[in-house]
Amino acid sequence: PGAPFYNHAVCARLRGIDAALVRKCIAAVFERHEILRTRLGLVSGEGLVQEALPPPAAIEAGALDSGYEHNTRDLVQYFSDQAKRVLPLEGAPAVRAALFELPCADVVFLLVSHPCLLDNASSRLLGREFGLSYGQLLSGGQIRVPMPCLQYGEFAYWQRKWFDDTRRRRYAAFWSHYLRGALLSEFPDWPHPGGTFAPRRIVFHFGASVKRAVAAAAAEFRAGPASIFLTAYCAAIHREIVDAVVPVGVLVANRGRPEIQHTLGNFANSVIVLVGPDLHAPWPQRAREIHGELMKVLPYSDLPLDVSIEKSATGRPAYSIQFNYEEELEEQFSAPFTVEPLDLDTGFSKFLLSLHVIASRDGLQCALVHDSSAISEQTARSIVGELVDALEHITGRDCVIEENSVAR
């Protein structure tokens, strides 16, 4: 409460677009999804309770001077600062939407939410609904995007009823057995375990040929593409950082139920996979073993770890290394405007090291975020190099980074 460290921010510059129609589309999206009009309240100073406010939602409007039109660096910095504003936990909605117009008629859209409200998949769903709505208005029609089957609050109510004491004990027993009763203090002593104000990011992109090679290896080894990347990622960590068992937090989208496919909310949870430094085992064996570990823990990803895992006596988090692999939405739309995402820097990273991979039609977009006070830029770039080398060994193909990596 009172801190912006974990704000979930989405920002994009929209070119060739009608600002008045943009406002109508955003208002319609907010009307369809209660979670975007939700305010949070504290119960006994701890637990959060959600309350959806009636529409219409308040959407901020602003204007930027011409100095930002051709200076992307300053534009990103401006909205990074905007994303760091503290969101209220009581009274006002915990989601902030803002539209800023540039003199060239471009519009910048910013959405900032409390992390318990929206996940990454929700951001892409919101973009899809916005694009569909805009196309319908532009053609002279009405917005005809259907309402979601369930609102997030309805799902959360069902989930609380579903997770009874019996399931809670079963989940706790599983994690206790899987982690062999170990607390984080028994793993390597990671620095800055509660987050850092010194994050750095290396962004790199693999083309469609590498995506196909990863998929072919996944099929051959009877593993998933995420398992192939996780195998390469862990090999790089073991070569560059630590030669020991590492607890890796793997983000899980948890959107398998058909009734929540089009619901905005935070369904994502994490599971822990323990990965040992078996650097001499054949690559197929390593990939299959890591895939097996993932399959073992995925059934216990329905709820956050903090409700079913034993806490460390020191209050330290369960893991400091994170991995996330996501597929873009299969259903595409042809937007009558150009979307230029702005990669914001909120100035805070929760983990020592995290790798984010987004698979799209065009290939694999990757971002390695590291705590620069603990991991040097040289080591981070070496991790990227080891990751590429491991992928080439696993797939038997050249895995060339198509774009020069950019450190931020």
Side-chain angles (χ1 to χ4, degrees), residues 1-9 58-62 77-89 92-100 110-115 344-347:
F5 303 146
Y6 301 133
N7 282 0
H8 179 87
I59 300 174
E60 299 178 28
Q77 184 59 56
Y78 177 84
F79 284 101
S80 294
D81 292 339
Q82 290 284 319
K84 295 174 187 175
R85 283 173 46 180
V86 175
L87 292 168
L89 271 186
V95 176
R96 177 190 172 215
L99 292 171
F100 291 79
L110 173 69
L111 182 74
V112 185
S113 70
H114 190 279
L344 305 185
D345 176 14
T346 58

Short mmCIF file of all heavy atoms in Angstrom, two decimals, residues 1-9 58-62 77-89 92-100 110-115 344-347:
data_model
loop_
_atom_site.label_atom_id
_atom_site.label_comp_id
_atom_site.label_asym_id
_atom_site.label_seq_id
_atom_site.Cartn_x
_atom_site.Cartn_y
_atom_site.Cartn_z
N PRO A 1 0.82 -1.20 0.00
CA PRO A 1 0.00 0.00 0.00
C PRO A 1 0.86 1.25 0.00
O PRO A 1 1.86 1.33 0.71
CB PRO A 1 -0.81 -0.11 1.29
CG PRO A 1 -0.84 -1.58 1.59
CD PRO A 1 0.48 -2.11 1.11
N GLY A 2 0.48 2.24 -0.82
CA GLY A 2 1.21 3.50 -0.85
C GLY A 2 2.50 3.45 -1.61
O GLY A 2 3.30 4.39 -1.53
N ALA A 3 2.78 2.37 -2.36
CA ALA A 3 4.01 2.25 -3.14
C ALA A 3 3.68 1.81 -4.56
O ALA A 3 2.76 1.02 -4.77
CB ALA A 3 4.96 1.24 -2.48
N PRO A 4 4.43 2.31 -5.56
CA PRO A 4 4.13 1.99 -6.96
C PRO A 4 4.98 0.87 -7.53
O PRO A 4 4.99 0.65 -8.73
CB PRO A 4 4.48 3.31 -7.66
CG PRO A 4 5.67 3.81 -6.88
CD PRO A 4 5.45 3.37 -5.44
N PHE A 5 5.69 0.12 -6.65
CA PHE A 5 6.72 -0.79 -7.13
C PHE A 5 6.20 -1.85 -8.09
O PHE A 5 6.87 -2.22 -9.04
CB PHE A 5 7.41 -1.47 -5.94
CG PHE A 5 8.03 -0.51 -4.96
CD1 PHE A 5 8.05 -0.80 -3.62
CD2 PHE A 5 8.55 0.70 -5.40
CE1 PHE A 5 8.60 0.08 -2.70
CE2 PHE A 5 9.11 1.59 -4.49
CZ PHE A 5 9.12 1.29 -3.15
N TYR A 6 4.99 -2.37 -7.84
CA TYR A 6 4.51 -3.47 -8.65
C TYR A 6 3.39 -3.06 -9.61
O TYR A 6 2.62 -3.88 -10.08
CB TYR A 6 4.00 -4.61 -7.74
CG TYR A 6 5.07 -5.14 -6.81
CD1 TYR A 6 4.81 -5.34 -5.46
CD2 TYR A 6 6.35 -5.42 -7.29
CE1 TYR A 6 5.80 -5.82 -4.61
CE2 TYR A 6 7.33 -5.90 -6.45
CZ TYR A 6 7.05 -6.10 -5.11
OH TYR A 6 8.03 -6.58 -4.27
N ASN A 7 3.29 -1.77 -9.89
CA ASN A 7 2.28 -1.30 -10.84
C ASN A 7 2.39 -2.05 -12.16
O ASN A 7 3.48 -2.25 -12.69
CB ASN A 7 2.44 0.20 -11.11
CG ASN A 7 1.89 1.07 -9.98
OD1 ASN A 7 1.39 0.54 -8.98
ND2 ASN A 7 1.99 2.37 -10.14
N HIS A 8 1.24 -2.47 -12.67
CA HIS A 8 1.18 -3.14 -13.97
C HIS A 8 0.82 -2.07 -15.00
O HIS A 8 -0.28 -1.51 -14.98
CB HIS A 8 0.12 -4.24 -13.94
CG HIS A 8 -0.03 -4.97 -15.24
ND1 HIS A 8 0.74 -6.06 -15.58
CD2 HIS A 8 -0.84 -4.76 -16.30
CE1 HIS A 8 0.40 -6.49 -16.78
NE2 HIS A 8 -0.56 -5.72 -17.24
N ALA A 9 1.75 -1.76 -15.91
CA ALA A 9 1.55 -0.66 -16.85
C ALA A 9 1.60 -1.14 -18.29
O ALA A 9 2.44 -1.96 -18.67
CB ALA A 9 2.62 0.42 -16.63
N ALA A 58 -13.83 6.98 -15.09
CA ALA A 58 -13.10 8.23 -15.32
C ALA A 58 -11.84 7.93 -16.14
O ALA A 58 -11.00 7.13 -15.74
CB ALA A 58 -12.73 8.87 -13.99
N ILE A 59 -11.74 8.56 -17.30
CA ILE A 59 -10.57 8.39 -18.17
C ILE A 59 -9.89 9.75 -18.31
O ILE A 59 -10.49 10.72 -18.79
CB ILE A 59 -10.97 7.83 -19.55
CG1 ILE A 59 -11.65 6.46 -19.37
CG2 ILE A 59 -9.76 7.72 -20.46
CD1 ILE A 59 -12.23 5.90 -20.65
N GLU A 60 -8.65 9.82 -17.87
CA GLU A 60 -7.92 11.09 -17.92
C GLU A 60 -7.61 11.48 -19.36
O GLU A 60 -7.46 10.63 -20.23
CB GLU A 60 -6.62 10.99 -17.13
CG GLU A 60 -6.81 10.67 -15.65
CD GLU A 60 -5.48 10.52 -14.94
OE1 GLU A 60 -4.49 11.14 -15.39
OE2 GLU A 60 -5.42 9.78 -13.95
N ALA A 61 -7.52 12.78 -19.59
CA ALA A 61 -7.15 13.29 -20.91
C ALA A 61 -6.06 14.33 -20.74
O ALA A 61 -6.02 15.07 -19.75
CB ALA A 61 -8.36 13.90 -21.61
N GLY A 62 -5.13 14.35 -21.68
CA GLY A 62 -4.04 15.31 -21.62
C GLY A 62 -3.48 15.58 -23.00
O GLY A 62 -3.89 14.96 -23.99
N GLN A 77 10.33 8.06 -21.28
CA GLN A 77 10.65 8.54 -19.94
C GLN A 77 9.46 9.22 -19.29
O GLN A 77 9.17 9.02 -18.10
CB GLN A 77 11.83 9.50 -19.99
CG GLN A 77 12.30 9.98 -18.62
CD GLN A 77 12.73 8.84 -17.72
OE1 GLN A 77 13.60 8.06 -18.09
NE2 GLN A 77 12.12 8.72 -16.54
N TYR A 78 8.74 10.03 -20.07
CA TYR A 78 7.56 10.73 -19.54
C TYR A 78 6.52 9.74 -19.02
O TYR A 78 6.00 9.89 -17.90
CB TYR A 78 6.95 11.62 -20.62
CG TYR A 78 5.69 12.35 -20.18
CD1 TYR A 78 5.77 13.54 -19.49
CD2 TYR A 78 4.43 11.82 -20.45
CE1 TYR A 78 4.62 14.21 -19.07
CE2 TYR A 78 3.28 12.46 -20.04
CZ TYR A 78 3.38 13.66 -19.35
OH TYR A 78 2.24 14.30 -18.92
N PHE A 79 6.23 8.72 -19.82
CA PHE A 79 5.19 7.78 -19.41
C PHE A 79 5.71 6.77 -18.39
O PHE A 79 4.92 6.20 -17.63
CB PHE A 79 4.59 7.08 -20.64
CG PHE A 79 3.64 7.97 -21.38
CD1 PHE A 79 4.04 8.62 -22.54
CD2 PHE A 79 2.37 8.21 -20.90
CE1 PHE A 79 3.16 9.46 -23.22
CE2 PHE A 79 1.49 9.05 -21.56
CZ PHE A 79 1.89 9.68 -22.72
N SER A 80 7.01 6.54 -18.35
CA SER A 80 7.56 5.74 -17.26
C SER A 80 7.34 6.44 -15.93
O SER A 80 6.97 5.81 -14.92
CB SER A 80 9.06 5.49 -17.48
OG SER A 80 9.29 4.68 -18.62
N ASP A 81 7.52 7.76 -15.92
CA ASP A 81 7.27 8.53 -14.70
C ASP A 81 5.78 8.51 -14.35
O ASP A 81 5.40 8.42 -13.17
CB ASP A 81 7.73 9.98 -14.88
CG ASP A 81 9.25 10.09 -15.00
OD1 ASP A 81 9.95 9.16 -14.55
OD2 ASP A 81 9.73 11.10 -15.55
N GLN A 82 4.92 8.58 -15.37
CA GLN A 82 3.48 8.51 -15.12
C GLN A 82 3.09 7.17 -14.49
O GLN A 82 2.22 7.09 -13.62
CB GLN A 82 2.72 8.70 -16.44
CG GLN A 82 2.79 10.10 -17.02
CD GLN A 82 1.89 11.07 -16.28
OE1 GLN A 82 0.77 10.74 -15.90
NE2 GLN A 82 2.38 12.27 -16.04
N ALA A 83 3.74 6.10 -14.97
CA ALA A 83 3.42 4.75 -14.48
C ALA A 83 3.86 4.53 -13.03
O ALA A 83 3.40 3.58 -12.39
CB ALA A 83 4.06 3.70 -15.38
N LYS A 84 4.74 5.39 -12.53
CA LYS A 84 5.23 5.25 -11.16
C LYS A 84 4.33 5.93 -10.14
O LYS A 84 4.61 5.86 -8.94
CB LYS A 84 6.64 5.82 -11.05
CG LYS A 84 7.68 5.05 -11.88
CD LYS A 84 9.03 5.77 -11.84
CE LYS A 84 10.01 5.12 -12.79
NZ LYS A 84 11.29 5.85 -12.86
N ARG A 85 3.28 6.60 -10.60
CA ARG A 85 2.37 7.25 -9.65
C ARG A 85 1.67 6.21 -8.79
O ARG A 85 1.27 5.15 -9.28
CB ARG A 85 1.35 8.09 -10.41
CG ARG A 85 1.91 9.40 -10.91
CD ARG A 85 0.93 10.15 -11.79
NE ARG A 85 -0.42 10.20 -11.28
CZ ARG A 85 -1.42 10.82 -11.91
NH1 ARG A 85 -1.21 11.41 -13.08
NH2 ARG A 85 -2.64 10.82 -11.39
N VAL A 86 1.53 6.51 -7.53
CA VAL A 86 0.90 5.57 -6.59
C VAL A 86 -0.59 5.46 -6.88
O VAL A 86 -1.28 6.47 -7.06
CB VAL A 86 1.13 6.04 -5.14
CG1 VAL A 86 0.38 5.12 -4.16
CG2 VAL A 86 2.62 6.05 -4.82
N LEU A 87 -1.07 4.23 -6.96
CA LEU A 87 -2.50 3.99 -7.14
C LEU A 87 -3.18 3.91 -5.78
O LEU A 87 -2.63 3.33 -4.84
CB LEU A 87 -2.73 2.68 -7.90
CG LEU A 87 -2.29 2.67 -9.37
CD1 LEU A 87 -2.31 1.24 -9.91
CD2 LEU A 87 -3.19 3.55 -10.21
N PRO A 88 -4.38 4.46 -5.66
CA PRO A 88 -5.07 4.40 -4.36
C PRO A 88 -5.55 2.99 -4.06
O PRO A 88 -5.91 2.23 -4.96
CB PRO A 88 -6.26 5.35 -4.56
CG PRO A 88 -6.53 5.30 -6.03
CD PRO A 88 -5.17 5.15 -6.69
N LEU A 89 -5.57 2.65 -2.79
CA LEU A 89 -6.09 1.35 -2.39
C LEU A 89 -7.50 1.46 -1.81
O LEU A 89 -8.17 0.46 -1.60
CB LEU A 89 -5.17 0.71 -1.35
CG LEU A 89 -4.05 -0.16 -1.91
CD1 LEU A 89 -3.30 -0.85 -0.79
CD2 LEU A 89 -4.56 -1.18 -2.90
N ALA A 92 -10.90 5.50 -4.69
CA ALA A 92 -10.86 5.59 -6.15
C ALA A 92 -10.54 4.23 -6.76
O ALA A 92 -9.97 3.36 -6.10
CB ALA A 92 -9.81 6.63 -6.57
N PRO A 93 -10.88 4.02 -8.05
CA PRO A 93 -10.53 2.76 -8.72
C PRO A 93 -9.02 2.53 -8.72
O PRO A 93 -8.23 3.47 -8.81
CB PRO A 93 -11.06 2.95 -10.14
CG PRO A 93 -12.12 3.99 -10.01
CD PRO A 93 -11.66 4.90 -8.91
N ALA A 94 -8.62 1.27 -8.63
CA ALA A 94 -7.21 0.91 -8.63
C ALA A 94 -6.69 0.68 -10.05
O ALA A 94 -5.70 -0.01 -10.26
CB ALA A 94 -6.98 -0.34 -7.79
N VAL A 95 -7.39 1.25 -11.02
CA VAL A 95 -6.97 1.23 -12.42
C VAL A 95 -6.99 2.66 -12.93
O VAL A 95 -7.98 3.38 -12.75
CB VAL A 95 -7.89 0.35 -13.29
CG1 VAL A 95 -7.50 0.43 -14.75
CG2 VAL A 95 -7.86 -1.09 -12.81
N ARG A 96 -5.92 3.08 -13.55
CA ARG A 96 -5.83 4.43 -14.10
C ARG A 96 -5.68 4.35 -15.61
O ARG A 96 -4.77 3.71 -16.13
CB ARG A 96 -4.64 5.16 -13.49
CG ARG A 96 -4.44 6.57 -14.07
CD ARG A 96 -3.13 7.18 -13.64
NE ARG A 96 -2.90 8.43 -14.35
CZ ARG A 96 -1.70 8.86 -14.73
NH1 ARG A 96 -0.62 8.13 -14.46
NH2 ARG A 96 -1.56 10.00 -15.38
N ALA A 97 -6.59 5.00 -16.33
CA ALA A 97 -6.52 5.07 -17.79
C ALA A 97 -6.35 6.52 -18.21
O ALA A 97 -7.00 7.41 -17.66
CB ALA A 97 -7.77 4.48 -18.42
N ALA A 98 -5.47 6.75 -19.18
CA ALA A 98 -5.21 8.12 -19.63
C ALA A 98 -4.94 8.13 -21.12
O ALA A 98 -4.28 7.23 -21.66
CB ALA A 98 -4.03 8.72 -18.87
N LEU A 99 -5.45 9.15 -21.79
CA LEU A 99 -5.21 9.38 -23.22
C LEU A 99 -4.52 10.72 -23.38
O LEU A 99 -5.01 11.75 -22.89
CB LEU A 99 -6.52 9.38 -24.00
CG LEU A 99 -7.28 8.05 -24.11
CD1 LEU A 99 -8.65 8.28 -24.71
CD2 LEU A 99 -6.48 7.07 -24.95
N PHE A 100 -3.38 10.72 -24.06
CA PHE A 100 -2.62 11.94 -24.30
C PHE A 100 -2.52 12.16 -25.81
O PHE A 100 -2.09 11.26 -26.54
CB PHE A 100 -1.22 11.85 -23.70
CG PHE A 100 -1.20 11.84 -22.20
CD1 PHE A 100 -1.49 10.69 -21.48
CD2 PHE A 100 -0.91 12.99 -21.48
CE1 PHE A 100 -1.48 10.68 -20.10
CE2 PHE A 100 -0.89 12.99 -20.10
CZ PHE A 100 -1.17 11.83 -19.40
N LEU A 110 -2.32 5.06 -21.96
CA LEU A 110 -1.64 4.50 -20.79
C LEU A 110 -2.66 3.86 -19.88
O LEU A 110 -3.70 4.46 -19.55
CB LEU A 110 -0.90 5.61 -20.03
CG LEU A 110 -0.27 5.20 -18.68
CD1 LEU A 110 0.91 4.27 -18.90
CD2 LEU A 110 0.16 6.44 -17.89
N LEU A 111 -2.39 2.62 -19.48
CA LEU A 111 -3.23 1.91 -18.51
C LEU A 111 -2.32 1.41 -17.39
O LEU A 111 -1.39 0.64 -17.65
CB LEU A 111 -3.97 0.75 -19.16
CG LEU A 111 -4.91 -0.03 -18.25
CD1 LEU A 111 -6.19 0.79 -17.99
CD2 LEU A 111 -5.29 -1.38 -18.84
N VAL A 112 -2.61 1.82 -16.17
CA VAL A 112 -1.83 1.39 -15.00
C VAL A 112 -2.80 0.78 -14.00
O VAL A 112 -3.84 1.36 -13.70
CB VAL A 112 -1.08 2.57 -14.36
CG1 VAL A 112 -0.19 2.07 -13.22
CG2 VAL A 112 -0.25 3.33 -15.38
N SER A 113 -2.46 -0.41 -13.51
CA SER A 113 -3.35 -1.09 -12.57
C SER A 113 -2.57 -1.68 -11.41
O SER A 113 -1.36 -1.90 -11.50
CB SER A 113 -4.13 -2.20 -13.28
OG SER A 113 -3.27 -3.26 -13.62
N HIS A 114 -3.28 -1.93 -10.33
CA HIS A 114 -2.71 -2.68 -9.22
C HIS A 114 -2.43 -4.10 -9.72
O HIS A 114 -3.22 -4.67 -10.48
CB HIS A 114 -3.70 -2.71 -8.05
CG HIS A 114 -3.13 -3.25 -6.79
ND1 HIS A 114 -3.00 -4.61 -6.55
CD2 HIS A 114 -2.62 -2.63 -5.69
CE1 HIS A 114 -2.47 -4.79 -5.35
NE2 HIS A 114 -2.24 -3.62 -4.80
N PRO A 115 -1.30 -4.73 -9.33
CA PRO A 115 -0.94 -6.04 -9.89
C PRO A 115 -1.92 -7.15 -9.59
O PRO A 115 -1.93 -8.17 -10.28
CB PRO A 115 0.43 -6.32 -9.26
CG PRO A 115 0.48 -5.46 -8.04
CD PRO A 115 -0.28 -4.23 -8.39
N LEU A 344 7.99 0.67 -21.06
CA LEU A 344 8.23 1.58 -19.94
C LEU A 344 9.18 0.97 -18.92
O LEU A 344 9.24 -0.24 -18.74
CB LEU A 344 6.90 1.92 -19.25
CG LEU A 344 5.81 2.51 -20.14
CD1 LEU A 344 4.61 2.92 -19.28
CD2 LEU A 344 6.31 3.69 -20.95
N ASP A 345 9.90 1.84 -18.23
CA ASP A 345 10.79 1.43 -17.15
C ASP A 345 10.22 1.97 -15.85
O ASP A 345 10.26 3.18 -15.60
CB ASP A 345 12.20 1.99 -17.39
CG ASP A 345 13.15 1.67 -16.24
OD1 ASP A 345 12.80 0.82 -15.41
OD2 ASP A 345 14.23 2.29 -16.19
N THR A 346 9.66 1.08 -15.03
CA THR A 346 9.07 1.52 -13.77
C THR A 346 10.11 1.67 -12.67
O THR A 346 9.77 2.05 -11.55
CB THR A 346 7.99 0.53 -13.31
OG1 THR A 346 8.56 -0.77 -13.19
CG2 THR A 346 6.86 0.47 -14.33
N GLY A 347 11.36 1.34 -12.96
CA GLY A 347 12.43 1.56 -12.00
C GLY A 347 12.49 0.56 -10.87
O GLY A 347 13.16 0.79 -9.87
#
